[in-house]
Amino acid sequence: GRLGYGSADETEKSGLTPRQHFTGGKSTMKNLYIPKGKILNYESLICQDIVNDGTLIVEDKIHARHISGQGVVNAGAISCRPLSASDISAAYITTDKLAAERVCASEVKVSGAAVVSCCLEAAYVVTPKLTVALSEIGEMDVKDVVNLTDKWRSIFGAMLAGFFRRLWLSLTHQIP
């Protein structure tokens, strides 16, 4: 596997083709890597590090130290430190940092910055800083909101826009 991650060994051993998927029950493991084109299903998942370039579907809760990659995450609840994925769908998301293209959740709680480069749909959002392109939010507790224009609608573009905004603010505000 890549970077010492177990590469969905259950899928490899079962002889499934990359377009097929693996279904597992409750699972606890150290690291998990899901390659592009693979679909993994679990009832619940506890893991230190997840690198997801495929599709991860968890019925109940994902609890991990880090979740990263360009894949799709679909879960009942997600709890981790940094969370980065292309598409995230969950009832509840609790994380330190969030970076995604699309997020759909009932409740999103981020203790650090949240960057959603395409669309955020949530009933309730709590974060100190939200950078978002399009959003449909029922209720939010956000101290600083940055709305992205069409040309900054990518995760890299959002980070770059945030950098230039901080630079501009630091140059225009005088320090006593």
Side-chain angles (χ1 to χ4, degrees):
R2 174 179 110 172
L3 300 172
Y5 287 81
S7 67
D9 290 326
E10 300 92 344
T11 305
E12 299 294 333
K13 290 177 186 172
S14 68
L16 298 174
T17 64
R19 293 285 176 212
Q20 293 174 323
H21 67 275
F22 168 78
T23 302
K26 294 180 182 180
S27 186
T28 302
M29 58 187 81
K30 186 173 180 178
N31 298 318
L32 175 64
Y33 171 64
I34 304 165
K36 187 174 183 176
K38 299 269 175 134
I39 301 169
L40 295 184
N41 290 304
Y42 292 98
E43 284 180 31
S44 66
L45 180 61
I46 299 171
C47 201
Q48 282 188 10
D49 298 313
I50 300 171
V51 176
N52 177 24
D53 291 324
T55 302
L56 176 61
I57 301 168
V58 179
E59 297 281 327
D60 190 21
K61 183 176 183 175
I62 299 173
H63 184 75
R65 185 174 57 188
H66 299 100
I67 299 175
S68 63
Q70 294 300 311
V72 175
V73 179
N74 187 344
I78 301 171
S79 175
C80 64
R81 291 181 190 158
L83 172 58
S84 173
S86 177
D87 225 323
I88 303 168
S89 179
Y92 302 98
I93 298 172
T94 305
T95 185
D96 291 346
K97 294 179 184 176
L98 174 66
E101 289 182 24
R102 287 169 294 283
V103 176
C104 181
S106 295
E107 187 174 289
V108 178
K109 292 183 179 179
V110 183
S111 60
V115 177
V116 181
S117 63
C118 189
C119 182
L120 169 63
E121 184 178 339
Y124 182 67
V125 175
V126 176
T127 183
K129 182 172 182 174
L130 175 63
T131 303
V132 65
L134 299 172
S135 64
E136 186 174 323
I137 301 170
E139 183 181 339
M140 66 179 181
D141 180 8
V142 180
K143 292 173 182 43
D144 186 20
V145 178
V146 176
N147 288 306
L148 299 173
T149 61
D150 286 341
K151 71 178 189 178
W152 297 108
R153 287 191 184 164
S154 70
I155 291 176
F156 178 73
M159 295 168 122
L160 191 61
F163 168 76
F164 284 122
R165 181 175 182 269
R166 284 189 303 278
L167 179 64
W168 175 252
L169 288 173
S170 69
L171 293 173
T172 59
H173 285 48
Q174 293 183 3
I175 300 171

